[in-house]
Amino acid sequence: TAQINPADEGVAIRIAVNGTDGYSNELDTVTDGSGQARLTIPGGAEGVVDTVTVTLPEQGVSQTVSYSF
């Protein structure tokens, strides 16, 4: 789940994930009334690292986080 603050509905958002196991997915959507957008990411094998980048294209803002399994 990605959440913008302050919460605002209808903001364009892109969520992209790339894993060291070759998994990738991305979603272009808009935020809901709580300022949230969701992309389900499956679990990975031990040692896999997923990098998730959330971008607000209209604002030119992005943030990246990594998760290790």
Side-chain angles (χ1 to χ4, degrees):
T1 301
Q3 181 169 344
I4 62 170
N5 190 15
D8 193 8
E9 184 174 7
V11 176
I13 190 169
R14 169 176 280 189
I15 306 171
V17 59
N18 291 292
T20 56
D21 59 355
Y23 177 83
S24 65
N25 194 6
E26 65 181 47
L27 173 69
D28 288 305
T29 189
V30 295
T31 55
D32 63 16
S34 299
Q36 298 181 346
R38 292 172 181 80
L39 173 68
T40 301
I41 302 170
E46 185 176 341
V48 170
V49 177
D50 283 349
T51 301
V52 181
T53 302
V54 177
T55 305
L56 303 178
E58 294 174 6
Q59 288 80 7
V61 176
S62 67
Q63 184 165 353
T64 301
V65 296
S66 295
Y67 296 94
S68 299
F69 295 93

